[in-house]
Amino acid sequence: MLEQPEEVTDAPDAPRSSGTSDAVQAPVTAAPVPDAAAAAVPDVAPKRRRGRTGALIGVAAALGLVAGTCAGYLVQADREPTPLPPLSQPVLPQAKGKGPEPLSAAQDRRVKTDGDLRELLLDRPRGAKRTEWTEGSDGWLDLAAYADRFEKPDAAFGQLVQDRFRRAVVTGWEVGDDYTVDIRLVQYRQEEAASAAEVGVEAQYWPEQERHDSWPIPGTGEGRAYVLAEPRTEDGYQSLYGAEAHAARGDITMEIYVYGTKPVPKKMIMSLAERQMERL
C-alpha cells in the first residue's frame, strides 16, 4: 500500500502555472503581531542630553569669585599699613568769658526745695505760742518720728518707705485758748514717684458719721480743705472741732491740721492753706 506523503503546513504556496493566467493572484501580506507582543514593548521616551551651558556658567562664576578674592588679598598685601589714630585727643580750647548766671529761687524751684525745707514753712504769727509737740524741736521730722504721728505707725512706716520718703519738717502754734495749728511739709524722692500727689496724698479718712464740708484750694489741682461740722467727743477728753487741708506741689506735700474748742471757720483753714502753698 502506497504511503501518503506528509503534509507540509509551513511551505509557501506554489506559483501557479501559466495556464491559470486568467486567475488573480492573491497578494501576500505579513502576519499580524499579537497584542501581547505589542504590550511587551516598553513605551519609554528618549532621554534629552543635558546642556553644558549652565554648568559652564556656574564654573566660570566660581572661578571669577576665587580670582577676585585672591587679587584683593594681593593688593592689600602690597599696600602700606594704615596708621591708627592717636589715643590721646587734642585738648579743645576752653570758651572765654563768664558763664550764665545760676537761676534764682524765683526761676528755679529746685533751689528752694533742695535747700532748708524749714524755710518754706509759714512763720509763726506774732504773739502765738509754740505747741507742745514742737517745743524744743528743731523743726525736722525723721521717718520714724513722722510715722509715729499716724494711728498705725508700723503700717505707716512701711508705706512711707515704699513711697520713697525723703524728709519732713513741722511747725505749729496756739491761737489763744481756742485753736492749735499743726503744719507739715513732707518731701519724697522722685526717682520712683513723679510727684508727691502720686503717693496717695489725701485728706485723713473721716467716718461717714462725721459730717464735714470741703472746698478746693485754688491753684493746687486736687488740693482740698475740710471742716468738721460737729465736734469729736470721747470720754475723758474735751470735745474738739477739727479742720484739715491737703495739697501737693512737685515732690512736696502739705498737711495742715487745726483743732479747737470752737468750730473752725472756713476762712481760717483756707487762708492757712493758700499762704502755705504760695511759699512752695
Side-chain angles (χ1 to χ4, degrees):
M1 186 178 196
L2 297 176
E3 295 181 357
Q4 297 292 335
E6 294 181 359
E7 184 179 1
V8 179
T9 58
D10 294 334
D13 295 338
R16 296 186 179 186
S17 61
S18 58
T20 59
S21 58
D22 295 337
V24 180
Q25 187 177 358
V28 179
T29 59
V33 180
D35 294 341
V41 178
D43 188 9
V44 179
K47 295 183 179 180
R48 295 183 58 186
R49 295 188 61 186
R50 190 173 183 181
R52 301 178 59 188
T53 304
L56 291 176
I57 292 176
V59 172
L63 292 176
L65 179 61
V66 174
T69 303
C70 294
Y73 277 114
L74 293 176
V75 171
Q76 293 294 334
D78 292 338
R79 289 179 179 177
E80 293 294 332
T82 303
L84 296 176
L87 296 179
S88 60
Q89 298 296 328
V91 179
L92 298 177
Q94 187 175 4
K96 299 181 180 180
K98 295 182 179 181
E101 295 292 333
L103 297 176
S104 63
Q107 297 172 314
D108 188 359
R109 182 177 172 275
R110 299 292 295 184
V111 175
K112 295 191 305 182
T113 59
D114 284 344
D116 192 341
L117 201 59
R118 296 173 297 181
E119 296 179 357
L120 300 182
L121 288 166
L122 280 179
D123 296 329
R124 187 170 67 251
R126 183 176 301 177
K129 181 182 177 181
R130 295 184 66 175
T131 56
E132 295 181 359
W133 55 84
T134 58
E135 192 70 34
S137 172
D138 59 358
W140 290 102
L141 288 175
D142 59 15
L143 178 57
Y146 179 66
D148 193 54
R149 292 176 175 247
F150 289 82
E151 293 183 359
K152 298 180 179 180
D154 295 342
F157 188 93
Q159 185 63 45
L160 290 170
V161 171
Q162 182 178 349
D163 293 337
R164 304 290 291 173
F165 172 90
R166 180 180 176 186
R167 55 182 181 168
V169 293
V170 62
T171 187
W173 58 81
E174 295 180 1
V175 182
D177 296 331
D178 298 326
Y179 302 104
T180 59
V181 178
D182 183 14
I183 302 177
R184 309 171 197 171
L185 298 179
V186 185
Q187 191 172 29
Y188 296 86
R189 301 185 186 277
Q190 290 194 350
E191 289 85 355
E192 298 294 335
S195 68
E198 293 187 5
V199 298
V201 179
E202 298 176 353
Q204 175 181 326
Y205 173 74
W206 286 341
E208 295 182 357
Q209 62 268 24
E210 293 185 328
R211 296 188 301 106
H212 63 274
D213 299 321
S214 67
W215 306 270
I217 302 174
T220 62
E222 297 182 357
R224 297 189 70 85
Y226 304 81
V227 173
L228 279 176
E230 297 178 355
R232 291 175 176 174
T233 58
E234 188 174 352
D235 295 339
Y237 293 90
Q238 187 179 8
S239 299
L240 288 177
Y241 291 88
E244 299 181 10
H246 297 262
R249 179 162 293 160
D251 56 354
I252 297 178
T253 67
M254 176 202 72
E255 304 173 7
I256 300 179
Y257 302 92
V258 179
Y259 297 100
T261 56
K262 298 179 180 180
V264 180
K266 170 187 175 182
K267 182 179 180 180
M268 181 179 182
I269 187 65
M270 290 293 292
S271 176
L272 289 170
E274 292 178 11
R275 290 189 290 120
Q276 179 60 75
M277 291 303 296
E278 287 176 358
R279 304 194 67 168
L280 299 180

